[in-house]
Amino acid sequence: MTPGCSRPRAWYRLLVAGGKRTLFLDWGGTLTRTRHHRTVVDSEGRPELQPNVLETLARVRAEYDACFIVSNQARVSKGEITEAEVFRRFAWANEHLGRPFTGWLICPHADADGCACRKPKPGMFLELDGRHGLDLAASTHVGDSEKDRDAALAAGVGRFVWAPDFFAW
């Protein structure tokens, strides 16, 4: 559990050795299209990916030892979506994209909760580093908001890239 969080969060992981160069990816607005702060899904509930996500991850994934989705998901605490549905969508994307993700971590809290894991705070990055011994200074975070950028900076992630630049859209 991240310090400041009121409850543990479910998360998915595979074995990652220490000191690994990591690619961190935001979810909504970075990997997937959003409308009104909600992931756009098709008629079968599958997320709509942003342009060039498949091609870009296929090209750059080998440059990193690990790849994690780090995502604020306040809609969970509001009862608008379940953690299980969020993780089902992440798992679908992982399969659809050829399994680029080592794992994922969410903050289900709202801004007003003051949680240490909610971006722009660095808690999710620090939790993953604590569990896996990552090399944050040699890592990259890709996001679409100032919260993403500020969280990466606060965690000591070496490089932040805006999603449109990273995915060329």
Side-chain angles (χ1 to χ4, degrees):
M1 192 160 69
T2 302
C5 288
S6 60
R7 63 188 179 91
R9 293 174 315 282
W11 61 286
Y12 170 87
R13 76 174 184 127
L14 300 175
L15 181 63
V16 179
K20 298 299 183 182
R21 186 169 181 237
T22 303
L23 177 61
F24 296 102
L25 298 162
D26 178 52
W27 176 252
T30 298
L31 291 171
T32 62
R33 296 178 191 266
T34 59
R35 189 174 301 120
H36 307 295
H37 303 287
R38 289 171 167 73
T39 300
V40 176
V41 296
D42 67 14
S43 62
E44 295 181 29
R46 297 177 301 217
E48 288 187 18
L49 298 174
Q50 291 280 28
N52 304 322
V53 168
L54 177 66
E55 300 83 359
T56 302
L57 289 180
R59 187 179 74 252
V60 304
R61 179 58 179 89
E63 298 172 19
Y64 297 91
D65 301 303
C67 179
F68 291 99
I69 296 171
V70 287
S71 179
N72 287 345
Q73 293 287 324
R75 292 181 58 221
V76 171
S77 67
K78 296 174 184 177
E80 297 173 5
I81 192 170
T82 65
E83 282 186 357
E85 177 59 18
V86 171
F87 295 139
R88 185 195 67 74
R89 291 175 181 183
F90 290 178
W92 175 86
N94 198 36
E95 289 299 316
H96 181 74
L97 295 170
R99 297 184 181 200
F101 308 125
T102 306
W104 39 81
L105 193 59
I106 69 166
C107 175
H109 306 103
D111 284 337
D113 294 334
C115 178
C117 64
R118 185 164 180 80
K119 293 183 278 183
K121 294 181 181 172
M124 286 188 280
F125 298 93
L126 300 178
E127 183 171 334
L128 288 167
D129 180 36
R131 291 182 183 269
H132 301 289
L134 307 174
D135 185 347
L136 293 175
S139 297
T140 300
H141 179 42
V142 179
D144 69 314
S145 73
E146 290 182 12
K147 285 183 178 186
D148 294 321
R149 183 199 58 206
D150 294 348
L153 179 64
V157 174
R159 184 170 80 128
F160 176 79
V161 182
W162 293 103
D165 297 330
F166 190 80
F167 293 110
W169 39 268

